[in-house]
Amino acid sequence: MLYENKIIIIFVADKINSTIDMLDVKQTLKDAGERMEMAAMYLGDELQRIRAGRANVAILDGVRVDSYGSKVPLNQVATVMVPDARTIAIKPWDRKAIKDIEKAIMDSDVGITPENNGEMIRLNLPQPTEERRRELVKQCNKIGERTKVEIRNVRSDIKDKLKKAIKDGLSEDNEKDAENDLQKIHDKYIKQVDALLDEKQKEIMTV
């Protein structure tokens, strides 16, 4: 009877350990997906800031304006609008801030000289040349490749963790299943990166 109880205890313990392993794997894969998603989101943000000839308020996301002794985002001191495909209009909530806003744009890497009429600032985006468009595509591809490297690094890191987990009791079958799931997550975000790059390239090359 004691021997049978011991077998039952061992069997239950093995089931518990197996469940813990599965929960650890699920969490690890979830963490991998989140890290890859963050890399793809970063790429999306970076691509938005690249001027493709069409007006996009995202190019002003990095502009910080002096306001009462602090540096604040532009959209906290002004309304930013896109009245047409080549123009960004900025209307300060306080007309006294217009000079500070103009200076902040000039000091930033936006690369467009603001026009100030005393009430509103306008940014007129020049039509990029064919050569400039191709340079922008190359710039986007470089950022995209760095993002892919980051996603691959996450995959490599998680694969190493899964291999080491076998020594801690994770079954080889569970490890192989986890690697397959990891590859699917990797492929999903690589595909997302390619889609973002394709969309941006079309935007840049459209005259």
Side-chain angles (χ1 to χ4, degrees):
M1 186 69 176
L2 181 61
Y3 180 73
E4 290 179 355
N5 288 341
K6 185 176 181 182
I7 291 176
I8 292 171
I9 291 171
I10 292 173
F11 175 76
V12 171
D14 286 343
K15 293 290 285 184
I16 292 172
N17 287 335
S18 176
T19 301
I20 291 173
D21 286 339
M22 287 304 294
L23 289 173
D24 287 345
V25 167
K26 287 179 181 178
Q27 184 60 49
T28 300
L29 292 176
K30 181 182 178 183
D31 292 343
E34 289 176 351
R35 288 167 63 186
M36 292 180 189
E37 183 179 16
M38 288 295 292
M41 288 174 63
Y42 171 79
L43 172 64
D45 289 342
E46 288 297 298
L47 293 180
Q48 276 196 321
R49 290 175 184 165
I50 293 177
R51 288 195 286 115
R54 295 185 66 83
N56 185 341
V57 297
I59 68 172
L60 299 172
D61 283 351
V63 175
R64 295 293 182 270
V65 182
D66 281 320
S67 178
Y68 300 102
S70 300
K71 293 278 190 180
V72 300
L74 175 58
N75 61 11
Q76 289 188 13
V77 294
T79 300
V80 184
M81 303 164 285
V82 180
D84 59 64
R86 300 287 177 207
T87 308
I88 297 176
I90 304 159
K91 187 171 181 58
W93 299 342
D94 182 351
R95 286 175 59 182
K96 294 178 182 177
I98 199 164
K99 289 292 184 182
D100 291 329
I101 294 173
E102 187 175 35
K103 182 178 184 303
I105 294 171
M106 293 290 289
D107 291 344
S108 73
D109 59 359
V110 171
I112 304 174
T113 301
E115 296 180 3
N116 169 12
N117 66 6
E119 294 185 357
M120 183 178 291
I121 294 173
R122 288 184 177 272
L123 301 179
N124 295 311
L125 281 72
Q127 178 81 11
T129 63
E130 180 73 14
E131 182 181 358
R132 177 56 178 162
R133 290 177 189 275
R134 296 192 181 281
E135 288 176 359
L136 290 173
V137 169
K138 288 181 181 179
Q139 182 181 344
C140 293
N141 287 336
K142 284 182 181 179
I143 302 172
E145 189 53 41
R146 289 201 301 267
T147 304
K148 288 183 178 181
V149 169
E150 177 61 26
I151 291 172
R152 291 176 190 132
N153 286 343
V154 173
R155 178 184 60 179
S156 178
D157 179 41
I158 299 302
K159 283 178 74 173
D160 288 343
K161 288 182 179 180
L162 291 171
K163 294 290 186 187
K164 291 175 182 177
I166 293 177
K167 297 178 182 179
D168 297 328
L170 179 66
S171 72
E172 291 188 8
D173 285 343
N174 284 345
E175 189 274 335
K176 287 180 180 178
D177 289 342
E179 274 203 35
N180 288 335
D181 290 339
L182 176 64
Q183 185 63 41
K184 290 175 183 176
I185 297 170
H186 165 274
D187 293 347
K188 170 187 172 182
Y189 286 105
I190 291 294
K191 185 176 180 180
Q192 186 171 322
V193 167
D194 286 335
L196 287 169
L197 291 173
D198 286 345
E199 182 180 356
K200 189 66 180 183
Q201 181 171 340
K202 288 176 184 176
E203 178 188 339
I204 291 171
M205 299 306 294
T206 299
V207 178

